[in-house]
Short mmCIF file of all heavy atoms in Angstrom, two decimals:
data_model
loop_
_atom_site.label_atom_id
_atom_site.label_comp_id
_atom_site.label_asym_id
_atom_site.label_seq_id
_atom_site.Cartn_x
_atom_site.Cartn_y
_atom_site.Cartn_z
N LYS Q 126 58.84 98.71 100.39
CA LYS Q 126 58.70 97.77 99.21
C LYS Q 126 57.42 96.87 99.28
O LYS Q 126 57.47 95.71 98.86
CB LYS Q 126 59.94 97.02 98.93
CG LYS Q 126 61.21 97.83 98.83
CD LYS Q 126 62.30 96.99 98.14
CE LYS Q 126 63.59 97.91 98.07
NZ LYS Q 126 64.69 97.16 97.44
N VAL Q 127 56.41 97.35 99.94
CA VAL Q 127 55.15 96.54 100.00
C VAL Q 127 54.48 96.35 98.66
O VAL Q 127 53.67 95.49 98.53
CB VAL Q 127 54.04 97.16 100.98
CG1 VAL Q 127 54.61 97.05 102.45
CG2 VAL Q 127 53.76 98.56 100.64
N ASP Q 128 54.90 97.15 97.69
CA ASP Q 128 54.37 97.03 96.32
C ASP Q 128 54.91 95.82 95.60
O ASP Q 128 54.26 95.31 94.66
CB ASP Q 128 54.61 98.33 95.56
CG ASP Q 128 56.19 98.54 95.37
OD1 ASP Q 128 56.78 99.08 96.40
OD2 ASP Q 128 56.73 98.15 94.39
N VAL Q 129 56.08 95.38 95.93
CA VAL Q 129 56.79 94.34 95.09
C VAL Q 129 55.94 93.10 94.92
O VAL Q 129 55.53 92.54 95.93
CB VAL Q 129 58.24 94.02 95.69
CG1 VAL Q 129 58.83 92.87 95.02
CG2 VAL Q 129 59.08 95.27 95.69
N ASP Q 130 55.78 92.69 93.67
CA ASP Q 130 55.21 91.49 93.34
C ASP Q 130 53.80 91.24 93.97
O ASP Q 130 53.40 90.15 94.36
CB ASP Q 130 56.13 90.35 93.79
CG ASP Q 130 55.79 88.94 93.20
OD1 ASP Q 130 55.09 88.93 92.16
OD2 ASP Q 130 56.19 87.98 93.63
N GLY Q 131 53.11 92.38 94.06
CA GLY Q 131 51.78 92.44 94.76
C GLY Q 131 51.79 91.86 96.14
O GLY Q 131 50.74 91.34 96.53
N GLY Q 132 52.95 91.91 96.79
CA GLY Q 132 52.99 91.43 98.18
C GLY Q 132 53.22 89.94 98.26
O GLY Q 132 53.37 89.37 99.38
N ASN Q 133 53.37 89.29 97.12
CA ASN Q 133 53.63 87.82 97.26
C ASN Q 133 54.99 87.41 97.62
O ASN Q 133 55.20 86.24 98.07
CB ASN Q 133 53.33 87.24 95.78
CG ASN Q 133 51.81 87.27 95.51
OD1 ASN Q 133 51.00 87.02 96.37
ND2 ASN Q 133 51.47 87.52 94.26
N SER Q 134 55.94 88.36 97.44
CA SER Q 134 57.29 87.90 97.85
C SER Q 134 57.62 88.34 99.31
O SER Q 134 58.71 88.22 99.76
CB SER Q 134 58.27 88.49 96.90
OG SER Q 134 58.15 89.91 96.82
N ARG Q 135 56.62 88.86 99.94
CA ARG Q 135 56.77 89.35 101.31
C ARG Q 135 57.17 88.26 102.21
O ARG Q 135 56.54 87.13 102.27
CB ARG Q 135 55.49 89.99 101.72
CG ARG Q 135 55.54 90.53 103.11
CD ARG Q 135 54.34 91.46 103.35
NE ARG Q 135 54.53 91.95 104.70
CZ ARG Q 135 54.20 93.18 105.07
NH1 ARG Q 135 53.48 93.91 104.25
NH2 ARG Q 135 54.43 93.62 106.28
N VAL Q 136 58.19 88.52 103.12
CA VAL Q 136 58.56 87.46 104.03
C VAL Q 136 58.52 87.91 105.54
O VAL Q 136 58.54 87.11 106.40
CB VAL Q 136 60.07 86.97 103.81
CG1 VAL Q 136 60.13 86.17 102.56
CG2 VAL Q 136 60.99 88.19 103.83
N VAL Q 137 58.33 89.26 105.70
CA VAL Q 137 58.13 89.68 107.07
C VAL Q 137 56.73 90.25 107.24
O VAL Q 137 56.28 91.14 106.58
CB VAL Q 137 59.14 90.90 107.36
CG1 VAL Q 137 58.97 91.35 108.86
CG2 VAL Q 137 60.56 90.49 107.12
N SER Q 138 56.07 89.57 108.19
CA SER Q 138 54.64 89.99 108.38
C SER Q 138 54.47 91.27 109.11
O SER Q 138 55.38 91.63 109.90
CB SER Q 138 53.82 88.86 109.07
OG SER Q 138 54.30 88.82 110.41
N GLU Q 139 53.34 91.92 108.97
CA GLU Q 139 53.05 93.19 109.70
C GLU Q 139 53.03 92.92 111.13
O GLU Q 139 53.56 93.66 112.04
CB GLU Q 139 51.71 93.69 109.17
CG GLU Q 139 51.51 95.13 109.76
CD GLU Q 139 50.27 95.72 109.16
OE1 GLU Q 139 49.59 95.17 108.30
OE2 GLU Q 139 49.90 96.81 109.62
N LYS Q 140 52.57 91.68 111.43
CA LYS Q 140 52.41 91.32 112.93
C LYS Q 140 53.83 91.23 113.57
O LYS Q 140 54.08 91.72 114.64
CB LYS Q 140 51.76 89.99 112.95
CG LYS Q 140 51.26 89.63 114.40
CD LYS Q 140 50.53 88.24 114.36
CE LYS Q 140 50.48 87.64 115.69
NZ LYS Q 140 50.27 86.22 115.59
N LYS Q 141 54.68 90.68 112.80
CA LYS Q 141 56.05 90.40 113.35
C LYS Q 141 56.75 91.77 113.50
O LYS Q 141 57.37 92.02 114.54
CB LYS Q 141 56.93 89.60 112.34
CG LYS Q 141 58.29 89.25 112.83
CD LYS Q 141 58.87 88.19 111.95
CE LYS Q 141 60.24 87.86 112.54
NZ LYS Q 141 60.81 86.60 112.23
N ALA Q 142 56.53 92.70 112.51
CA ALA Q 142 57.18 94.03 112.63
C ALA Q 142 56.59 94.80 113.82
O ALA Q 142 57.38 95.42 114.60
CB ALA Q 142 56.95 94.72 111.30
N LYS Q 143 55.32 94.70 114.02
CA LYS Q 143 54.66 95.36 115.10
C LYS Q 143 55.10 94.87 116.46
O LYS Q 143 55.20 95.60 117.48
CB LYS Q 143 53.19 95.26 115.02
CG LYS Q 143 52.59 96.22 113.90
CD LYS Q 143 51.11 96.22 113.88
CE LYS Q 143 50.58 97.30 112.84
NZ LYS Q 143 49.06 97.29 112.81
N ALA Q 144 55.32 93.52 116.47
CA ALA Q 144 55.82 92.89 117.79
C ALA Q 144 57.19 93.48 118.08
O ALA Q 144 57.41 93.84 119.33
CB ALA Q 144 55.82 91.45 117.65
#
Side-chain angles (χ1 to χ4, degrees):
Chain Q
K126 302 197 186 181
V127 291
D128 60 278
V129 171
D130 197 17
N133 290 323
S134 55
R135 181 168 184 147
V136 291
V137 183
S138 68
E139 188 172 356
K140 194 179 155 198
K141 186 167 178 157
K143 284 185 175 176

